[in-house]
Amino acid sequence: MKGNDVEPMVFGAVLLAASMHAGWNVVVKVGLDRFSSIVLLALFSALICLVLLPFFPLPAAASWPWLLASAMVHVVYKLTLVRAYEHGDLSQVYPLARGTAPLVVALVSAGFLGEAMTGAKLLSILLIGGGVCLMSLRGGAVGRMPPKAFVFALATAGCTASYTLLDGVGARLSGSASGFIILLSIFDGLFTCAYAVSRRGLRMLVQLAPAWRMGFAAGAMSLASYWIAIWAFTKAPIALVAALRETSVLFAVLFAVFFLKERVGAGRIAAAVAIAAGVILMRL
């Protein structure tokens, strides 16, 4: 592809991934206790990938350090996300956790990865990131965002930026985006389950069995969403893909309003307009 253009297929695929990412967050918010939900998600993502592993080439050895580091960051990401949801609304936590990450990714990509960024592309990233943050800081059904939810949401954003950069570089070194995401998901599942067992014992995995349908749905959406993102990292600048993924907040707010009955005021409508403007500018 040429320059910083996001081809129509990549653009549409990342938007689809954004909707699935918001979908699995809704499942985590309304399912079992948050920790159990996230463990179940990681477990089923790993199981699906174990079935798929023989059909895809393994990633190149050069990408493995990036892959293993990313898998560990993904575990921390899940834990901070769970804690954030314990203290705040979906429509509060999710936008802040996602919205600040593209700004960090854009700066690091330009400064250390040599990705050129035009004024229009930078403005689109700022509109999306700023709109996402505004949507969160306007408060939710319980009013202003609780301090603990704010802190854990920012920690989640830091993890998001970190694994996005690790995966962007790793996927490009892997020679196989599919092999990279499959192996990443397997290690992520192993690390997450190991942590869960250390906290709650082996009985926890047995107790999760009755909720396997929810786990499969969330795991499949999570895997499909990030599989698309990993592929997109090899086709477009990492910063642009990272920003476009954060349109998932629009889907998250819609889900929060229609399924979780959370309130949305004028401030969040204005934030949604800013995000939409950023997406349109990026496409143009």
Side-chain angles (χ1 to χ4, degrees):
M1 74 188 290
K2 298 179 180 180
N4 287 334
D5 293 335
V6 181
E7 292 181 348
M9 184 171 67
V10 177
F11 187 86
V14 176
L15 286 180
L16 175 62
S19 68
M20 289 189 287
H21 193 281
W24 76 252
N25 273 263
V26 172
V27 173
V28 169
K29 178 67 177 175
V30 302
L32 306 168
D33 70 90
R34 311 294 177 249
F35 184 70
S36 296
S37 294
I38 215 74
V39 171
L40 200 60
L41 178 152
L43 176 61
F44 271 93
S45 291
L47 290 175
I48 293 170
C49 286
L50 280 172
V51 174
L52 296 175
L53 184 61
F55 302 100
F56 294 91
L58 291 174
S63 69
W64 278 60
W66 303 88
L67 187 154
L68 291 171
S70 174
M72 290 185 282
V73 174
H74 271 83
V75 176
V76 180
Y77 159 79
K78 291 182 179 71
L79 297 177
T80 55
L81 182 65
V82 166
R83 294 299 302 275
Y85 281 151
E86 289 175 352
H87 299 288
D89 287 350
L90 172 71
S91 56
Q92 288 177 317
V93 169
Y94 189 87
L96 184 59
R98 305 301 305 183
T100 51
L103 308 180
V104 177
V105 171
L107 291 174
V108 175
S109 296
F112 296 95
L113 301 183
E115 290 190 347
M117 192 65 58
T118 66
K121 298 302 182 186
L122 181 58
L123 179 58
S124 69
I125 292 171
L126 290 173
L127 281 170
I128 292 173
V132 165
C133 292
L134 174 62
M135 188 174 289
S136 180
L137 295 174
R138 292 297 299 176
V142 294
R144 190 172 297 275
M145 192 174 190
K148 287 186 178 180
F150 182 80
V151 171
F152 281 114
L154 282 183
T156 304
C159 292
T160 301
S162 298
Y163 74 62
T164 296
L165 291 164
L166 290 168
D167 291 341
V169 175
R172 293 177 178 184
L173 294 173
S174 69
S176 170
S178 294
F180 185 90
I181 183 61
I182 286 173
L183 213 57
L184 172 63
S185 297
I186 291 172
F187 279 114
D188 180 12
L190 287 174
F191 293 161
T192 301
C193 289
Y195 178 81
V197 169
S198 72
R199 288 287 306 275
R200 298 188 180 181
L202 285 171
R203 288 183 302 174
M204 177 187 179
L205 299 181
V206 176
Q207 292 168 350
L208 292 177
W212 71 268
R213 290 181 179 84
M214 185 204 75
F216 179 80
M221 283 192 290
S222 175
L223 175 61
S225 173
Y226 208 55
W227 196 319
I228 292 172
I230 292 293
W231 167 76
F233 287 149
T234 67
K235 303 295 182 181
I238 296 171
L240 295 186
V241 175
L244 190 56
R245 287 188 74 223
E246 305 323 327
T247 57
S248 59
V249 299
L250 295 175
F251 297 104
V253 170
L254 287 174
F255 295 157
V257 170
F258 290 105
F259 296 108
L260 305 183
K261 307 304 180 183
E262 296 179 5
R263 293 181 297 176
V264 176
R268 290 190 185 169
I269 294 174
V273 170
I275 294 168
V279 171
I280 293 170
L281 181 61
M282 183 183 294
R283 186 67 194 95
L284 295 177

